[in-house]
Amino acid sequence: MSKPLSLVVLISGHGSNLQSIIDSIEQGRVNAEIKAVISNNAEAYGLLRASKHGIASYVVNHRDFGNREDFDHQLQRILAPLGADFILLAGFMRILGSATVQAYTDKILNIHPSLLPAYKGLHTYRRALDSGEVEHGVSIHLVTAELDDGPVIMQARYPIASGDKIEDLQQKGHKLEHRMYPQLLCWLGEGKIEISGGQIFYDKTLLSKPVEFGH
Ligand code: GRF
């Protein structure tokens, strides 16, 4: 078996995606190790999930820092010795500075609840409903210095039914999200997906559009 992928997961809140990654590792579906969980919020429920599973965790509260550079420096001080293969943003509600993004080129991934490039930013479910969309989805993308930008690696879509509310979309989205990071980690571990020079390769071929994640 190849060497486990080493991961750091950044969270701000509930941490259900973190839990799905922990479960996939513990159940032997993903060959990886979570070196640490970092939260900018000391109250994040995801920190309890980490401690329940014996995973080291750190809190870097952005409010303790006068500016983004100092916050980012503290993050980097924690990240550097961990030497992770990938840094997974999973509900991490801060924007990373360009120095951090550059220090970890090709290594920072984010999961976002929309079919990017549509609906970058916050409140994606509400905005999609207000716009009368008939479908919505989830994207995992490589993080660049721009918010919710960077090449999209994988997307999952689901229909919006008439009468759907924000909670319905969230439920449909989360169900898919909880399978997406584990699937992507498998593919990264197997070398089926490779990331190099800001580009995504699938089976050694440059990805021209995101991989569609099936239901
Ligand atoms: C997810 O919907 C993710 O797409 C978005 O934030 C949410 C985090 O949920 N970036 P959780 O903390 O993993 O439960």
Side-chain angles (χ1 to χ4, degrees), residues 4 17 27 41 46 75 96 102 118 149 163 169 175 177 187 197-198 205:
N17 277 282
Q27 292 162 9
N41 167 18
L75 275 183
L96 295 174
Q102 272 161 27
D149 211 50
L169 267 52
K175 221 169 142 193
E177 288 189 19
W187 284 342
T205 306

Side-chain angles (χ1 to χ4, degrees), residues 13-18 90-93 110-113 125 174 177-178:
H14 192 57
S16 65
N17 277 282
L18 166 67
F92 183 65
M93 303 302 285
N110 181 42
I111 191 159
H112 180 78
Y125 305 121
H174 272 196
E177 288 189 19
H178 297 159

